[in-house]
């Protein structure tokens, strides 16, 4: 089992910045990948950014150039730096970890989510 705890959400005005943190209950160095998803009202959950064990990153087109994902394995924490926020970024943001199990098996763990609200 892996517990993920998000922090750093809140309310900002358009153009502002936030840094989200997600701390895992055990070493993130063993994770296949860890990342952030978001879900806005009446919309499906979508990928925001993800970082793989080897360091490769992937971003949603809607956030490229504004968002940076990073990880600190010594702190078991992944960060999401979000700049130039706009009201379309308003959503509940979820941390997700993909953790290897038995050969050929991967488990997916979710945090409880944290609200980000951007006002115009």
């Amino acid at each position: 089992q892996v517990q993920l705890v998000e922090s750093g959400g809140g309310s900002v005005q358009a153009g502002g910045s936030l840094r989200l943190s997600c701390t895992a209950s055990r070493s993130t160095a063993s994770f296949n990948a860890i990342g952030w998803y978001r879900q806005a009202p009446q919309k499906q959950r979508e990928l925001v950014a993800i970082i793989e064990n080897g360091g490769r990153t992937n971003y949603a087109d809607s956030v490229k150039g504004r968002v940076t994902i990073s990880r600190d394995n010594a702190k078991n924490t992944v960060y999401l730096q979000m700049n130039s926020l706009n009201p379309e970024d308003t959503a509940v943001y979820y941390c997700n970890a993909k953790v290897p199990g038995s050969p050929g098996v991967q488990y997916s763990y979710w945090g409880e989510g944290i609200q980000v609200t951007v006002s115009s």
Side-chain angles (χ1 to χ4, degrees):
Q1 279 280 18
V2 176
Q3 283 76 48
L4 302 171
V5 179
E6 300 108 334
S7 61
S11 297
V12 295
Q13 290 192 328
S17 299
L18 281 174
R19 188 176 82 154
L20 305 183
S21 300
C22 171
T23 300
S25 59
R26 64 178 225 223
S27 175
T28 53
S30 64
F31 296 174
N32 288 337
I34 187 166
W36 292 91
Y37 292 71
R38 67 185 181 186
Q39 188 166 17
Q42 284 86 52
K43 291 189 176 181
Q44 289 190 331
R45 193 172 296 188
E46 63 177 2
L47 173 71
V48 179
I50 193 167
I51 184 166
E52 298 177 358
N53 193 23
R56 186 170 68 175
T57 58
N58 189 34
Y59 295 92
D61 288 342
S62 60
V63 303
K64 282 181 181 175
R66 301 188 297 118
V67 166
T68 302
I69 189 169
S70 60
R71 65 196 290 175
D72 185 341
N73 288 337
K75 296 182 178 180
N76 299 337
T77 300
V78 63
Y79 303 99
L80 189 70
Q81 178 66 46
M82 302 190 293
N83 301 321
S84 301
L85 287 163
N86 59 65
E88 290 69 39
D89 295 314
T90 294
V92 177
Y93 284 70
Y94 296 89
C95 183
N96 174 261
K98 303 190 189 303
V99 181
S102 304
V105 176
Q106 178 174 272
Y107 298 100
S108 182
Y109 296 97
W110 293 92
E112 292 188 351
I114 193 164
Q115 179 70 44
V116 170
T117 302
V118 184
S119 57
S120 58

